[in-house]
Amino acid sequence: MKANTLLLALSICLPLSTMAQHSHGAQAPYAGMQNRTIKSLSDNDINELRRGGGWGLALAAELNGMPGPAHLLELKDQIPLASDQVAKTQALLDEMRKAAIPTGDRLIAAEKALEAAFATGKVDESSLRRLLADSETARSELRFIHLSQHYKTVQFLKPEQIKRYNILRGYAEDPCKNIPAGHNPEMYKRHMGCN
């Protein structure tokens, strides 16, 4: 009986505004996004698409040992890449951006058209299917553009360069920093190619 009385007293003392804040916060995960020009794309998304950036579309390759050309060039001295590998990587990056920028623009335009249809209320099943198809076609093409450049890099990289790339990108542990117990540190580092 005393416990019930205490719970009743606490619930009465709990300010209603606190209860309202908690329920409001849980219901508004998209608060602020209503001010975006294109609701489905942030300014960062748009900038990334317009510059031909990866936008996370090539993670299936990137996280499975197939380096991307942009990050390879960023790490060329640390991997290290030979001059002919740098030239091949630069050519892949140039080819990728040449295709990715206009395709990214198509995706932005498709999302803008979808946004406009809902903003004006002029949407029905047929138009919605067409608008979504336009957007998804551009996104699919963009994903192909990025993923295809990743699998091409492994054709001219050595396995140890890919391993070094994965370490530098944080996808694998650096064997030079984790010398197994019982090994002579100097000999182990020499064997592993540590500097």
Side-chain angles (χ1 to χ4, degrees), residues 36-189:
R36 292 177 174 180
T37 304
I38 302 172
K39 310 299 187 258
S40 60
L41 298 173
S42 70
D43 288 343
N44 288 339
D45 293 334
I46 293 169
N47 291 335
E48 182 78 353
L49 290 166
R50 285 191 173 143
R51 71 171 193 81
W55 204 45
L57 294 173
L59 290 177
E62 174 75 13
L63 299 177
N64 281 295
M66 295 188 177
H71 297 306
L72 270 173
L73 290 173
E74 291 167 2
L75 300 170
K76 67 183 177 189
D77 295 330
Q78 295 168 281
I79 291 177
L81 295 180
S83 60
D84 66 314
Q85 291 174 313
V86 171
K88 289 175 184 177
T89 304
Q90 186 64 56
L92 289 178
L93 181 63
D94 293 344
E95 180 183 309
M96 181 195 71
R97 288 215 170 116
K98 184 178 179 183
I101 290 171
T103 306
D105 287 341
R106 280 186 31 231
L107 177 58
I108 292 167
E111 287 297 313
K112 189 174 185 177
L114 182 63
E115 168 73 27
F118 278 93
T120 61
K122 295 180 181 179
V123 63
D124 56 33
E125 187 173 330
S126 175
S127 65
L128 180 57
R129 286 190 185 280
R130 182 184 48 77
L131 290 165
L132 289 173
D134 291 347
S135 179
E136 292 309 311
T137 297
R139 181 183 169 87
S140 179
E141 285 180 34
L142 193 58
R143 196 164 189 210
F144 175 82
I145 291 164
H146 287 284
L147 284 166
S148 66
Q149 301 309 69
H150 279 251
Y151 79 74
K152 291 174 185 176
T153 65
V154 298
Q155 297 171 9
F156 58 82
L157 294 174
K158 297 175 184 172
E160 59 269 16
Q161 290 175 310
I162 294 171
K163 185 176 182 179
R164 181 77 178 136
Y165 176 89
N166 287 330
I167 290 167
L168 292 169
R169 294 283 292 157
Y171 311 142
E173 289 187 32
D174 187 347
C176 297
K177 293 182 181 174
N178 299 310
I179 300 168
H183 285 77
N184 175 306
E186 194 173 303
M187 300 225 10
Y188 177 83
K189 286 182 178 183

